[in-house]
Amino acid sequence: MSVSEFDADVVVDARDCILGRVASQVAERALDGERIAVVNAEQAVVTGRREEVIETYQQRREVGSDRGPAYPKRPDGILKRAIRGMVPYKRPRGREAFENVRVYMGNPYEDSVASETQRGGDGEAVEAEVLEDTSLDRLSNIKFVSLGDVSEALGARVTW
């Protein structure tokens, strides 16, 4: 499904926001019935020392077999997996909520020539919002790693 086919109620900007905080708020809003698009997934951050964070994600990749479960390498997949962990995705309510969430690398809603399907119901361009209490700004003296760097260390092809 392309961006133009997904009509989001809310567009959330994950740039310089803490991964878990964004994931929990998006999951909560999705369970409330909102259709949410998360943009700039590669610029979200994971708090902690770089070596420890990358080691944790490498261990998650190694778990499983050839047939699965497979942990994603790309930033959009990692963020979507974090959201899935906060939704009861095995139950109908959670499955429906999870289907109403899309995660993108970059911001496809930012195009200067936005088509009519990417605009809000009133013809206005959809503006990305930063969720409250998720920004890294309030925690300026902590160590962190961007999700793009984590993905690169996991072996993802850098296309962003």
Side-chain angles (χ1 to χ4, degrees):
M1 180 180 280
S2 71
V3 175
S4 60
E5 294 173 17
F6 186 72
D7 193 21
D9 297 335
V10 180
V11 178
V12 175
D13 191 357
R15 179 184 304 132
D16 296 332
C17 292
I18 300 170
L19 172 76
R21 293 175 189 255
V22 171
S24 65
Q25 289 193 20
V26 167
E28 191 175 308
R29 292 175 82 166
L31 285 168
D32 289 340
E34 294 184 47
R35 294 172 58 86
I36 302 173
V38 182
V39 297
N40 296 319
E42 73 281 1
Q43 294 175 4
V45 297
V46 180
T47 58
R49 287 185 34 235
R50 179 182 180 85
E51 299 80 27
E52 289 178 1
V53 169
I54 290 175
E55 182 181 330
T56 299
Y57 280 94
Q58 285 175 337
Q59 287 175 352
R60 289 180 184 176
R61 285 280 310 154
E62 292 168 3
V63 170
S65 65
D66 293 340
R67 288 185 263 165
Y71 197 82
K73 289 182 185 179
R74 293 170 34 122
D76 54 342
I78 293 172
L79 182 54
K80 187 142 185 173
R81 179 69 179 257
I83 294 168
R84 191 191 87 174
M86 299 180 188
V87 170
Y89 69 95
K90 292 184 179 181
R91 300 186 181 271
R93 176 175 174 251
R95 195 175 311 118
E96 184 179 317
F98 191 60
E99 288 171 359
N100 288 330
V101 175
R102 296 287 188 280
V103 180
Y104 301 102
M105 292 192 294
N107 189 351
Y109 291 93
E110 190 178 65
D111 294 339
S112 58
V113 221
S115 66
E116 289 301 315
T117 55
Q118 292 177 352
R119 295 174 181 264
D122 55 357
E124 297 285 322
V126 178
E127 183 70 27
E129 68 177 76
V130 176
L131 295 174
E132 191 176 329
D133 293 333
T134 61
S135 181
L136 191 65
D137 298 340
R138 62 188 202 88
L139 303 169
S140 60
N141 60 351
I142 61 172
K143 297 177 193 245
F144 62 90
V145 184
S146 76
L147 206 50
D149 293 342
V150 171
S151 293
E152 197 172 332
L154 291 176
R157 257 187 281 154
V158 180
T159 58
W160 52 89

